[in-house]
């Protein structure tokens, strides 16, 4: 869209933007801007419905060629109710979701997925007949009696809502975080209004099969008892009449005709009892109502009428009770249908392995990469500008229709194998297997088919489109997968916008597109006398006219269907137009080599091609990025055995310049492949380095822990040695004092000399005796000395003296490393330090 009108109301807080193409007239009043030229305008607008309808038509045609309707049907099949399936299709086919609505839909889908993972709060609506409930609501609104089946459907709906609430409350009670993870569905479920008394009343008066119970009212019970009594009485009467007709008994039969009991007889058979001859219709015999049964039949009809009236009274009373809560029931039904739609989206995602997309809002036509983004997995409503590297990040994405088709074919093949196995088993059991070999061969071929299908999984595609890229040109051979790639991207964009998870193996980042336009396939128009080429041009013209700066445009075989030179020129001009003023992103496929050169003159372009296996002469359906595709027709023809003269002539006609271009493309492909391999190798080495670094950190931590343990052990040993040294020192001091006390007293003659000697010793001690700490330190050093430095180590069997015991003992074992010795003294074995014994 080239122009739009921007209306600003000074008394309002909002700004309105209207496409010029759908505005017929404007009266001037408030300031208005057309492009960048200010004018005065009156905020009175008349819309061009024809233009709006035209845009909707173009959009619907685009979704048709993308096969969006088939995907909608596939998702709707996961809904549990018929109304849910219809609502799912309606929601997915809606084209007017805003960005905020798309985020809300994704949040709902994520919540339903969490409920499935929880298990206890799974949304299962398979037991609800929403059509009957809706019919019951309509009957109650018209004050009509609600029949039993519809009443039971209402009760089932209320019971399901009650159970859903109970399970949700139990989950939240177990873990409060479930309340947040189930949002926004938590508020919907907790807000359900369930009238348990109505459920109780329905179950009291209505049976499981939908019939009114006898206990519903006393009048009904009395009427039905009378009906059963009269039916038994009439039946016994008929039996007695038939028994009296002994010769004709085998040709007579009791029958009920229009509620009246009668007797049927064969053709040309007369009965002895009198009765009323009734119309036999197509029956060849006669139908007689015996006269004796007429009053009983009349009475039976009256009893049945009384029972029917009593039933109607019960159902009317039930309808009156429903009318009291009719608004709540209708609201409850609408919420359940909406939850069914959400559950269908979530179940589809879980079934096919979908991933919640990171849906962001592009800022506009700029190419700076600045966007307003809100992740689809968050509940925040505040948009904020961020920088993004990719416009579209779609790794390993599957085409949902291709994946569904493969799954259906595989399931059918497995079912055929199962049926064949059961048939062979049945034939073996019945011993009627005449062609055993053929059956075995069929089973083997079916099993091989299943194996082949399991190995031939659909190939995912990668789309990594830089934020600077506005147009992507994809080239490649026919049947190479270009069209499938276009449809995959288009369907992924619509799925994200509609609240569906995208079928990709990793998290995807995809912009919110206001519309997806596609020109795919042969679009001849006989009604408008348009050829294939004209049909493409007409559609592309409509797409360019209606696309905006937030649109996605998909063009298949652009410029095809006419003279190659003119088609290439037209295709280049179209793509350059889209790059300058067109959609947010345009993806085009082509066979024209000239379109590959646009990348080298315009940064808004990017090239990609479909990979082709020249050895096996078949496409791989993988995308090579940054590399333009090259022609393989001549090489394929040569490998298929076309005469060499024809091949050489074709190469000559093709031209040396084109061949050189193909060689350059080949070198680029080889370089691309080598770069990819080296990148993968580098990534592998990075992972190995990361593992080695983590191992080194673990080893460093263990070494530090071991060092700390050793230091603590040494300190403990030193502390123990010091304690032993102090003990020995104190013992030596005590021994010395004891020996001094026990020494003999000095003679009187020597008393004076002795006193002088003692005084001298004291004086010497005062000036020469070292501090106790120094003596302890020297003693510890003495302990640390090896036994060989102090004395000869004793040997086993030696007799040594232990000063602390004051006796001699025998050596049993010597442990120099521990500085210990084991001795025996009498009947006792002692472990002592080597320093405690004297040889």
């Amino acid at each position: 869209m080239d122009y739009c009108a921007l209306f600003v109301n000074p008394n309002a807080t909002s700004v309105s933007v209207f496409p010029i193409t759908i505005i017929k007239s404007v009266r001037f009043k408030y300031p208005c801007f057309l492009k960048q030229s200010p004018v005065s305008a009156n905020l009175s607008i008349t819309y061009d419905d024809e233009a709006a309808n035209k845009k909707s038509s173009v959009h619907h045609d685009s979704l048709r060629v993308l096969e969006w309707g088939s995907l909608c049907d596939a998702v709707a099949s996961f809904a549990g109710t018929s109304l849910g399936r219809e609502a799912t299709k309606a929601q997915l086919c809606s084209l007017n979701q805003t960005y905020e609505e798309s985020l809300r839909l994704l949040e709902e889908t994520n919540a339903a997925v969490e409920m499935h993972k929880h298990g206890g709060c799974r949304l299962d609506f398979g037991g609800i007949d929403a059509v009957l409930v809706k019919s019951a609501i309509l009957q109650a609104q018209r004050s009509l009696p609600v029949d039993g089946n519809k009443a039971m459907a209402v009760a089932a709906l209320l019971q399901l809502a009650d159970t859903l609430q109970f399970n949700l409350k139990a989950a939240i009670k177990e873990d409060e975080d479930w309340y947040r993870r189930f949002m926004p569905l938590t508020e919907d479920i907790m807000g359900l209004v369930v009238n348990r008394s109505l459920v109780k009343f329905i179950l009291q008066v209505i049976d499981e099969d939908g019939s009114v119970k006898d206990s519903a009212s006393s009048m009904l019970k009395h009427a039905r008892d009378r009906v059963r009594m009269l039916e038994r009485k009439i039946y016994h009467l008929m039996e007695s009449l038939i028994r009296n007709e002994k010769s004709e008994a085998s040709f007579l039969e009791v029958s009920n005709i229009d509620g009246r009991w009668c007797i049927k007889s064969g053709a040309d058979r007369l009965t002895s009892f009198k009765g009323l001859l009734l119309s036999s219709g197509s029956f060849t015999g006669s139908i007689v109502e015996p006269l004796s049964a007429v009053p009983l039949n009349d009475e039976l009809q009256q009893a049945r009428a009384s029972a029917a009236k009593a039933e109607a009274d019960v159902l009317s009373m039930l309808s009156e009770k429903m009318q009291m809560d009719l608004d709540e029931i209708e609201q409850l039904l609408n919420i359940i249908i909406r939850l069914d739609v959400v559950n269908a989206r979530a179940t589809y995602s879980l079934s096919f392995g979908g991933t919640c997309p990171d849906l962001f809002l592009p800022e506009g036509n700029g190419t700076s990469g600045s966007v307003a983004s809100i992740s689809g997995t968050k509940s925040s409503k505040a948009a904020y500008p961020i920088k993004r590297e990719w416009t579209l990040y779609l790794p390993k994405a599957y085409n949902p229709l291709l994946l569904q088709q493969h799954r259906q074919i595989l399931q059918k093949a497995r079912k055929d194998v199962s049926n064949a196995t059961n048939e062979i088993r049945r034939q073996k059991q019945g011993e009627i297997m005449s062609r055993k070999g053929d059956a075995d061969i069929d089973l083997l071929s079916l099993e091989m088919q299943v194996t082949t299908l399991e190995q031939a999984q659909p190939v995912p595609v990668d789309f990594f489109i830089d934020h600077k890229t506005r147009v992507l040109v994809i080239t490649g051979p026919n049947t190479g997968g270009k069209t499938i790639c276009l449809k995959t991207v288009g369907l992924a964009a619509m799925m994200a916008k509609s609240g569906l998870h995208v079928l990709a193996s990793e998290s995807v980042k995809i912009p919110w597109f206001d519309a997806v336009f596609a020109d795919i396939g042969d679009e001849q128009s006989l009604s408008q006398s348009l050829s294939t080429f004209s049909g493409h041009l007409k559609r592309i013209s409509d797409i360019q006219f209606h696309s905006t700066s937030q649109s996605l445009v998909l063009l298949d075989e652009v410029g095809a269907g006419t003279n190659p030179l003119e088609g290439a020129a037209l295709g280049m001009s179209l793509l350059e137009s889209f790059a300058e003023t067109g959609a947010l992103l345009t993806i085009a496929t082509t066979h024209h080599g000239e379109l590959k050169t646009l990348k080298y003159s315009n940064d808004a372009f990017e090239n990609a091609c479909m990979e082709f296996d020249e050895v096996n002469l078949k496409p791989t359906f993988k995308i090579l990025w940054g590399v333009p595709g090259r022609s393989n027709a001549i090489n394929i023809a040569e490998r298929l055995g076309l005469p060499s003269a024809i091949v050489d002539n074709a190469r000559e006609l093709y031209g040396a310049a084109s061949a050189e271009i193909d060689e350059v493309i080949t070198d680029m492909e080889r370089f691309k492949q080598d770069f990819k391999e080296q990148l993968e190798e580098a990534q592998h080495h990075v992972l190995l380095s990361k593992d080695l670094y983590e191992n080194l950190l673990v080893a460093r931590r263990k070494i530090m822990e071991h060092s700390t343990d050793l230091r603590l052990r040494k300190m403990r040993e030193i502390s123990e040695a010091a304690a032993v040294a102090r003990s020995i020192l104190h013992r030596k001091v005590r021994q010395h004092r004891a020996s001094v006390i026990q020494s003999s007293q000095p003679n009187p003659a020597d008393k004076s000399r002795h006193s002088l000697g003692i005084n001298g010793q004291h004086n010497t001690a005062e000036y020469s005796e070292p501090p106790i700490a120094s003596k302890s330190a020297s003693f510890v050093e003495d302990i640390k000395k090896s036994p060989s430095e102090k004395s000869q180590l004793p040997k086993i069997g030696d007799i040594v003296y232990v000063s602390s015991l004051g006796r001699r003992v025998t050596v049993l074992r010597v442990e120099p490393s521990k500085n210990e010795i084991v001795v025996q003294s009498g009947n006792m074995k002692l472990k002592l330090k080597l320093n405690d014994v004297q040889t």
Side-chain angles (χ1 to χ4, degrees):
M1 188 178 301
D2 296 332
Y3 302 97
C4 67
L6 178 65
F7 296 93
V8 182
N9 186 341
N11 298 323
T13 59
S14 61
V15 178
S16 301
V17 180
F18 302 95
I20 285 294
T21 55
I22 62 173
I23 298 176
K24 281 186 173 179
S25 63
V26 178
R27 292 203 313 271
F28 299 100
K29 182 178 179 181
Y30 293 118
C32 168
F33 296 89
L34 181 60
K35 289 193 75 174
Q36 295 182 353
S37 302
V39 297
S40 297
N42 183 17
L43 203 60
S44 176
I45 300 169
T46 305
Y47 290 97
D48 187 349
D49 294 334
E50 182 179 356
N53 292 335
K54 180 63 176 178
K55 180 178 180 179
S56 179
S57 175
V58 173
H59 197 179
H60 278 95
D61 287 342
S62 299
L63 296 183
R64 176 181 56 80
V65 297
L66 289 174
E67 301 180 81
W68 175 248
S70 299
L71 180 60
C72 294
D73 292 338
V75 177
S77 65
F78 286 91
T81 65
S82 57
L83 294 183
R85 287 186 285 274
E86 294 176 3
T88 301
K89 291 181 183 179
Q91 183 257 307
L92 294 177
C93 292
S94 176
L95 308 178
N96 57 353
Q97 295 102 335
T98 63
Y99 173 62
E100 289 74 17
E101 289 173 346
S102 296
L103 289 180
R104 179 182 57 79
L105 293 174
L106 282 173
E107 290 174 354
E108 292 174 350
T109 304
N110 293 336
V113 169
E114 290 292 333
M115 285 185 166
H116 274 272
K117 293 179 180 179
H118 180 272
C121 296
R122 182 174 300 176
L123 301 174
D124 184 9
F125 305 104
I128 299 300
D129 194 333
V131 175
L132 288 181
V133 175
K134 187 174 182 179
S135 178
I137 293 173
L138 292 176
Q139 285 184 333
Q141 288 176 343
R142 298 170 184 172
S143 299
L144 298 176
V146 178
D147 61 57
N149 289 324
K150 295 174 182 178
M152 287 301 294
V154 172
L157 176 71
L158 296 174
Q159 286 178 318
L160 177 102
D162 192 31
T163 302
L164 196 58
Q165 270 189 348
F166 177 81
N167 293 337
L168 180 60
K169 292 177 181 178
I172 296 174
K173 185 178 180 181
E174 178 184 349
D175 186 356
E176 293 182 355
D177 189 52
W178 288 117
Y179 185 92
R180 176 188 59 81
R181 296 171 66 177
F182 292 163
M183 286 292 291
L185 301 185
T186 305
E187 294 179 349
D188 294 337
I189 296 174
M190 298 297 281
L192 296 177
V193 178
V194 179
N195 188 344
R196 295 185 178 86
S197 61
L198 178 59
V199 176
K200 184 177 180 181
F201 180 77
I202 293 175
L203 297 180
Q204 283 178 345
V205 300
I206 305 297
D207 213 339
E208 293 181 357
D209 59 356
S211 61
V212 181
K213 293 182 178 180
D214 292 351
S215 58
S217 71
S218 58
M219 292 182 60
L220 178 61
K221 186 177 185 307
H222 180 268
R224 285 182 174 176
D225 289 343
R226 182 167 178 77
V227 168
R228 286 189 286 266
M229 182 270 294
L230 290 173
E231 285 180 341
R232 288 195 300 269
K233 192 173 182 180
I234 295 175
Y235 187 79
H236 291 322
L237 175 62
M238 297 296 180
E239 288 289 332
S240 64
L241 292 175
I242 291 175
R243 284 196 300 270
N244 292 335
E245 299 288 333
K246 295 181 181 179
S247 60
E248 307 291 339
S250 60
F251 301 99
L252 300 178
E253 178 185 355
V254 179
S255 180
N256 192 310
I257 306 298
D258 297 331
R260 301 184 72 87
W261 290 94
C262 305
I263 296 177
K264 286 184 179 181
S265 63
D268 301 329
R269 299 289 180 177
L270 298 177
T271 57
S272 60
F273 54 82
K274 297 180 180 181
L276 301 176
L277 184 62
L278 304 179
S279 174
S280 59
S282 60
F283 184 63
T284 56
S286 60
I287 300 177
V288 178
E289 181 182 1
L291 291 178
S292 57
V294 170
L296 291 176
N297 273 330
D298 292 340
E299 191 175 355
L300 178 60
Q301 294 285 57
Q302 294 176 1
R304 285 175 176 166
S306 300
K309 184 178 181 305
E311 286 184 12
D313 293 340
V314 172
L315 295 178
S316 296
M317 181 173 56
L318 179 58
S319 179
E320 291 176 0
K321 285 189 173 292
M322 284 184 56
Q323 285 178 342
M324 299 172 61
D325 300 298
L326 204 55
D327 293 339
E328 288 78 6
I329 296 173
E330 188 173 9
Q331 183 180 4
L332 178 62
L333 176 63
N334 294 332
I335 293 176
I336 292 297
I337 292 174
R338 191 169 70 81
L339 291 176
D340 194 16
V341 174
V342 175
N343 185 61
R345 299 199 303 264
T347 308
Y348 176 85
S349 173
L350 292 171
S351 178
F352 286 93
T355 303
C356 180
D358 179 7
L359 189 66
F360 62 92
L361 183 65
E363 196 174 56
N365 236 345
T367 59
S368 64
S370 179
V371 294
S373 172
I374 307 176
S375 172
T377 61
K378 305 297 181 182
S379 59
S380 174
K381 299 298 181 183
Y384 54 93
I386 65 171
K387 290 285 184 180
R388 284 185 178 268
E389 180 181 1
W390 308 104
T391 294
L392 179 65
Y393 184 83
L394 201 61
K396 294 181 176 58
Y398 290 91
N399 184 290
L401 299 179
L402 199 62
L403 199 62
Q404 179 186 2
Q405 182 184 18
H406 178 268
R407 177 175 294 187
Q408 291 174 348
I409 295 175
L410 182 59
Q411 289 176 348
K412 183 179 182 303
R414 288 172 175 170
K415 185 177 181 181
D416 291 341
V417 170
S418 178
N419 293 337
T421 303
N422 294 334
E423 180 64 18
I424 292 174
R425 186 182 297 111
R426 185 185 66 81
Q427 291 178 356
K428 285 182 177 180
Q429 292 176 352
E431 296 182 357
I432 58 173
M433 190 172 181
S434 59
R435 294 185 297 175
K436 179 179 179 181
D438 293 341
D440 288 342
I441 292 175
D442 292 339
L443 180 59
L444 181 61
S445 64
L446 290 173
E447 291 176 344
M448 291 179 61
Q449 182 181 2
V450 171
T451 303
T452 303
L453 288 172
E454 289 175 345
Q455 296 175 351
Q457 294 287 337
V459 179
V461 294
D462 298 320
F463 273 91
F464 307 127
I465 300 179
D466 187 79
H467 68 275
K468 296 180 180 179
T469 302
R470 300 292 302 281
V471 178
L472 173 66
V473 179
I474 303 177
T475 54
N478 290 327
T479 69
K482 299 189 300 297
T483 304
I484 290 294
C485 288
L486 289 182
K487 291 185 176 181
T488 300
V489 175
L491 291 175
M494 287 301 301
M495 291 172 73
K497 182 179 180 181
S498 302
L500 288 169
H501 286 182
V502 178
L503 303 190
S505 58
E506 301 176 16
S507 178
V508 302
K509 296 176 177 60
I510 190 167
W512 179 88
F513 296 105
D514 62 353
V516 177
F517 297 102
D519 174 42
I520 298 175
D522 185 3
E523 290 298 319
Q524 288 187 350
S525 177
L526 298 179
S527 61
Q528 299 182 21
S529 300
L530 297 176
S531 64
T532 301
F533 177 71
S534 301
H536 280 293
L537 282 184
K538 179 67 170 63
R539 171 170 293 196
I540 293 175
S541 176
D542 292 338
I543 289 174
Q544 187 165 24
F545 186 77
H546 293 291
S547 62
T548 71
S549 60
Q550 291 184 335
S551 299
L552 172 65
V553 175
L554 308 171
L555 305 177
D556 190 25
E557 299 295 348
V558 62
T562 187
N563 179 276
L565 294 178
E566 291 183 339
L570 186 59
M572 293 177 68
S573 179
L574 283 171
L575 295 183
E576 286 178 341
S577 174
F578 276 110
E580 293 173 1
T581 59
L584 172 68
L585 178 62
T586 301
I587 304 177
T589 66
T590 183
H591 282 293
H592 295 300
E594 292 81 357
L595 271 63
K596 309 172 189 176
T597 63
L598 291 172
K599 172 186 177 181
Y600 307 106
S601 60
N602 192 333
D603 292 337
F605 283 80
E606 180 60 270
N607 284 334
C609 70
M610 304 306 298
E611 187 180 43
F612 188 83
D613 186 357
E614 295 185 5
V615 177
N616 298 314
L617 299 179
K618 63 179 183 180
T620 63
F621 305 106
K622 295 181 180 179
I623 299 180
L624 297 178
W625 288 93
V627 179
R630 62 188 180 91
S631 175
N632 294 284
I634 297 178
N635 294 334
I636 293 174
E638 183 179 17
R639 290 180 180 273
L640 292 177
L642 201 66
S644 58
I646 298 176
V647 173
D648 293 339
N649 188 28
R651 284 200 174 100
E652 185 177 353
L653 294 174
Y654 184 60
S658 299
E660 291 177 358
I661 292 176
D662 283 345
E663 290 180 2
V664 171
I665 292 174
T666 303
D667 293 338
M668 291 179 65
E669 290 180 357
R670 188 179 300 112
F671 174 77
K672 184 84 172 181
Q673 187 65 27
D674 293 342
F675 175 76
K676 182 178 179 181
E677 292 177 357
Q678 292 176 3
L679 180 61
E680 291 177 353
E681 184 178 359
Q683 291 175 345
H684 176 67
H685 287 307
V686 168
L687 292 176
L688 289 178
S689 301
K690 185 178 179 180
D691 293 338
L692 290 174
Y693 176 71
E694 292 178 353
N695 293 335
L696 286 174
L697 289 179
V698 173
R700 179 175 178 270
R701 185 177 66 253
K702 290 183 178 179
I703 290 173
M704 293 182 64
E705 292 176 354
H706 183 66
S707 175
T708 302
D709 293 340
L710 286 178
R711 186 164 58 253
L712 293 175
R713 190 183 304 120
K714 288 294 183 182
M715 292 176 62
R716 189 164 54 250
E717 291 177 355
I718 292 173
S719 177
E720 292 175 355
V724 172
R726 285 194 297 272
S727 176
I728 295 174
L729 181 61
H730 292 162
R731 187 169 62 252
K732 291 292 185 181
V733 170
R734 287 196 302 271
Q735 290 176 355
H736 177 70
R737 289 177 178 175
S739 62
V740 170
I741 294 174
Q742 292 177 358
S743 62
S744 58
Q745 294 293 332
N747 295 327
D750 298 331
K751 186 174 182 181
S752 174
R753 186 176 56 194
H754 181 68
S755 299
L756 292 174
I758 291 175
N759 292 334
Q761 290 178 1
H762 280 294
N763 294 332
T764 303
E766 289 178 2
Y767 294 103
S768 64
E769 185 176 359
I772 294 177
S774 300
K775 291 194 291 183
S776 299
S778 63
F779 193 81
V780 170
E781 293 295 331
D782 184 65
I783 289 175
K784 289 184 178 180
K785 291 181 180 179
S786 61
S788 60
E789 296 177 354
K790 297 185 298 180
S791 62
Q792 186 72 20
L793 287 175
K795 299 179 180 179
I796 298 175
D798 289 352
I799 303 299
V800 296
Y801 178 80
V802 180
S803 58
S804 60
L805 298 177
R807 65 173 66 181
R808 293 185 177 273
V809 295
T810 303
V811 177
L812 297 180
R813 186 170 70 250
V814 180
E815 296 179 356
S817 61
K818 297 182 179 181
N819 195 30
E820 294 178 347
I821 184 172
V822 178
V823 299
Q824 184 170 1
S825 174
N827 295 329
M828 294 187 301
K829 291 183 180 180
L830 303 173
K831 181 181 289 187
L832 304 172
K833 295 290 183 181
L834 285 173
N835 301 317
D836 294 339
V837 300
Q838 300 175 6
T839 55

